[in-house]
Amino acid sequence: QVQLVESGGGLVQAGGSLRLSCAASGSIFSIYDMGWYRQAPGKQRELVAAISSSGSTNYADFVKGRFAISRDNAKNMVTLQMNSLKPEDTAVYYCNAARVVPSRTYWGQGTQVTVSS
């Protein structure tokens, strides 16, 4: 079992930056692949960025060059640095922990990011 708690959301003007953090507890954090997803009103949840247990990263095309995901296994923490924010980045951002064998996936409660134009 993994518990995830996001923080760092808020209101920012277009062009600004935010840093989201996800604190994990309850299991061996380092063995999980971690990801940030977002869901805007009326839209499906979508992957924003992911970092594997080995540190490999993957980004959605719409955030490449603007967002950066990182993890600190010693602190059981994953962060998402978001720069050059756009109004279309407005959404609830969720932290996810997943592993394949055995199949497990966990979600945080989400944190709201609002980008004003």
Side-chain angles (χ1 to χ4, degrees), residues 23-76:
S25 61
S27 188
I28 305 173
F29 175 76
S30 61
I31 65 175
Y32 285 85
D33 297 329
M34 302 298 298
W36 285 96
Y37 290 71
R38 71 185 187 187
Q39 187 167 19
K43 295 187 177 181
Q44 289 189 332
R45 191 172 298 189
E46 59 185 358
L47 175 68
V48 175
I51 185 165
S52 71
S53 57
S54 62
S56 299
T57 58
N58 180 44
Y59 295 93
D61 286 344
F62 52 78
V63 302
K64 282 183 179 177
R66 299 189 299 126
F67 291 11
I69 188 170
S70 61
R71 66 189 296 162
D72 185 335
N73 290 337
K75 296 182 178 180
N76 286 6

Side-chain angles (χ1 to χ4, degrees), residues 4-5 14-15 19 25 34 41 56 60 64 68 71 82 85 87 105 107:
L4 303 172
V5 179
R19 185 177 179 87
S25 61
M34 302 298 298
S56 299
K64 282 183 179 177
R71 66 189 296 162
M82 305 187 295
L85 283 160
T105 187
W107 294 94

